[in-house]
Amino acid sequence: MRLTAVFTGAAAAAALLAAGATAHAADTPLRDLAAAKGKVIGTAVTGSKLTGTYGDIAGAQFNSLTPGNAMKWETVEPSRGTFNWAEADQIVAFAQAHNQQVRGHTLVWHSQNPGWLANGSWTPTELSGLLQNHITTEVTRYKGKLAAWDVVNEAFNEDGTYRSTLWYNGLGSDYIAQALTWAHAADPSAKLYINDYNVEGVNAKSTALYNLVKSLKARGVPIDGVGLQAHLILGQVPSTFQQNIQRFADLGVDVAVTELDIRMQLPSTDAKLTQQAADYKTVMDACVAVTRCVGVTVWGFTDSDSWIPDVFDGYGAATPYDENYAPKPAYRAIATSLGGTSTPPTGACTATYSVVSQWNSGFTGQVRIACSGASLSSWKVGWTYGAGQQISQAWNATCTQSGATVSCSNASYNGTVADGGSVTFGFNASWSGSNPVPTVTLG
Ligand code: G2I
């Protein structure tokens, strides 16, 4: 039954209470657990976000960073001969300040190339010169500062044939060996990888990659590792994942899980988050079990910094932290796999704010309070609007708004949130200009 609670707009705002997002602050950070196992736990990052809570978590929990976009060709050389290293430099500096590795990503790809390059018409000699120059310039800039480079990205089709790209079409398959050779000349200490997606299990594509690595090794081409991106779907970790990691390791190369995320159809539910945690654990356990699997990088650590909703309509919630930086069951699964404690600490209840629907002047919002390893007998949720939003009506909670500050407390019938349970309330509000999601605190 959906009840409409009384809205008392004039009441004073309640003091905001302890933040749900910091509920796990006392845990051993993932990076310490990983280091004790000799593994890397990394995340892709966006340079402009590396402050506040995002920066705190990125610095505290991970021992490796991968620039999500900052080192791609279109970012670093948007027009020919004009370089922009600002975001890449910033991420490398942040990593150094936090004693973290950096994975360079990526030197040779068919996507995110600048228009001048992608739309130009080049002779093979010109194309080869451009590629050599790009690799030499970028790798030299970060020489000695990066642990690894994803030198070549996504070279194969699903059936194991070479993808038709600017590089393959212009230079033939040997562009891969050349790229590795040039990168090695520019920074002999960086580990050089070939990276791809849908190569997590044993299949036609991963077998083509396997055969390529084998032949590169036989020719003495500098290849140190294979990156398995692992953009996975809920409940679909390939059953041959560990076996596949092992067969690459047996070729004498390292393996890294480079872009892990596990997407689900929205909205997320407790059952889906539990399945997701199991999937994260399966991936982590496979890497932990194989000595030459150096570690796992997640492709964004928070649902507020993930590519999934932009690309897969109706899907999301793919990362270990929710959009308000509260750790999800997947976070705990990673910790458990790395040898952390298996029971969540007390106080692991979190509140998640989302916009359910929005029209020209109004929107319907929702807050979900979920508990894991903890429970509540009453609750208050607060947030501060940043863009003049104004609540007009709430249901399944009593909400007051004073200025920008909103405080909502449970209705008479839904104060109890059991361990493993959740409660949701909703509201209507007005907005104009923009409608950013506020940071929500739970008490
Ligand atoms: O597509 C997911 C990943 C697959 N493997 C290679 C990765 O490099 C790739 O990363 C994603 C980034 O996470 C996205 O952030 O690559 C996308 C492009 O293929 C990135 O998306 C782009 C958007 O398409 C642009 O509109 C946007 O300007 O991100 C740009 C910067 O935010």
Side-chain angles (χ1 to χ4, degrees):
M1 184 166 54
R2 223 150 106 132
L3 295 177
T4 302
V6 181
F7 178 70
T8 53
L16 296 183
L17 298 147
T22 57
H24 293 258
D27 287 357
T28 306
L30 298 180
R31 62 181 291 173
D32 295 350
L33 297 171
K37 288 211 175 286
K39 299 285 178 183
V40 167
I41 183 77
T43 181
V45 289
T46 304
S48 60
K49 298 184 179 176
L50 283 170
T51 59
T53 307
Y54 183 100
D56 290 346
I57 295 174
Q61 295 287 338
F62 299 94
N63 57 14
S64 176
L65 301 183
T66 302
N69 289 296
M71 289 184 173
K72 292 170 180 174
W73 199 326
E74 77 172 1
T75 307
V76 301
E77 196 182 1
S79 42
R80 192 171 182 182
T82 304
F83 294 91
N84 178 3
W85 306 105
E87 190 191 350
D89 285 357
Q90 182 205 349
I91 292 169
V92 171
F94 182 98
Q96 289 180 334
H98 292 82
N99 195 23
Q100 294 167 306
Q101 293 187 3
V102 178
R103 265 195 92 79
H105 176 85
T106 179
L107 296 167
V108 194
W109 196 20
H110 62 274
S111 181
Q112 287 182 288
N113 287 320
W116 66 264
L117 173 67
N119 304 328
S121 90
W122 314 104
T123 65
T125 308
E126 287 169 333
L127 198 57
S128 175
L130 284 166
L131 186 58
Q132 179 174 12
N133 199 35
H134 170 69
I135 290 172
T136 305
T137 304
E138 184 154 5
V139 177
T140 301
R141 183 174 183 88
Y142 298 108
K143 182 181 179 185
K145 296 181 175 171
L146 268 52
W149 269 108
D150 291 330
V151 176
V152 176
N153 199 32
E154 302 174 0
F156 289 104
N157 295 314
E158 298 304 295
D159 66 0
T161 56
Y162 282 108
R163 189 192 285 265
S164 162
T165 69
L166 173 69
W167 309 115
Y168 180 75
N169 297 340
L171 302 173
S173 63
D174 225 40
Y175 81 89
I176 296 172
Q178 288 179 318
L180 290 160
T181 303
W182 293 325
H184 183 70
D187 186 354
S189 69
K191 299 286 186 197
L192 304 182
Y193 280 68
I194 302 177
N195 192 48
D196 217 324
Y197 64 90
N198 287 352
V199 291
E200 294 74 30
V202 174
N203 57 36
K205 193 176 185 179
S206 66
T207 299
L209 180 57
Y210 177 90
N211 289 332
L212 170 65
V213 171
K214 194 173 177 182
S215 81
L216 292 171
K217 291 280 286 182
R219 288 167 58 190
V221 174
I223 172 76
D224 300 297
V226 167
L228 313 179
Q229 293 186 8
H231 294 293
L232 303 175
I233 300 170
L234 191 71
Q236 296 184 29
V237 181
S239 58
T240 51
F241 191 61
Q242 185 177 325
Q243 177 194 337
N244 192 43
I245 294 175
Q246 187 67 57
R247 74 169 172 158
F248 280 105
D250 291 345
L251 281 181
V253 291
D254 291 340
V255 178
V257 177
T258 51
E259 305 184 15
L260 175 62
D261 49 29
I262 302 179
R263 62 185 180 269
M264 63 180 71
Q265 208 157 8
L266 296 173
S268 68
T269 62
D270 292 338
K272 290 182 202 173
L273 292 171
T274 301
Q275 175 67 50
Q276 184 185 50
D279 294 344
Y280 265 89
K281 186 154 184 310
T282 301
V283 172
M284 293 299 305
D285 285 351
C287 184
V288 168
V290 180
T291 309
R292 284 203 83 141
C293 184
V294 299
V296 175
T297 289
V298 293
W299 204 244
F301 64 86
T302 159
D303 292 338
S304 68
D305 187 41
S306 169
W307 68 296
I308 296 292
D310 292 340
V311 174
F312 297 99
D313 213 20
Y315 281 78
T319 79
Y321 286 79
D322 74 15
E323 57 269 37
N324 292 314
Y325 303 119
K328 292 156 59 178
Y331 168 92
R332 186 127 303 281
I334 296 171
T336 303
S337 181
L338 291 172
T341 53
S342 58
T343 51
T346 56
C349 295
T350 55
T352 307
Y353 176 112
S354 52
V355 174
V356 176
S357 66
Q358 182 169 300
W359 53 99
N360 48 1
S361 62
F363 68 100
T364 298
Q366 168 181 295
V367 173
R368 179 168 173 271
I369 298 150
C371 290
S372 174
S375 60
L376 295 169
S377 56
S378 69
W379 45 264
K380 273 187 192 210
V381 174
W383 64 88
T384 302
Y385 275 130
Q389 299 99 320
Q390 177 68 48
I391 292 191
S392 58
Q393 182 194 29
W395 51 92
N396 296 333
T398 302
C399 292
T400 65
Q401 181 166 352
S402 172
T405 307
V406 177
S407 176
C408 298
S409 53
N410 60 270
S412 58
Y413 52 85
N414 66 0
T416 300
V417 186
D419 182 357
S422 66
V423 161
T424 300
F425 68 90
F427 55 88
N428 286 331
S430 62
W431 70 287
S432 78
S434 68
N435 187 17
V437 170
T439 300
V440 173
T441 54
L442 169 68

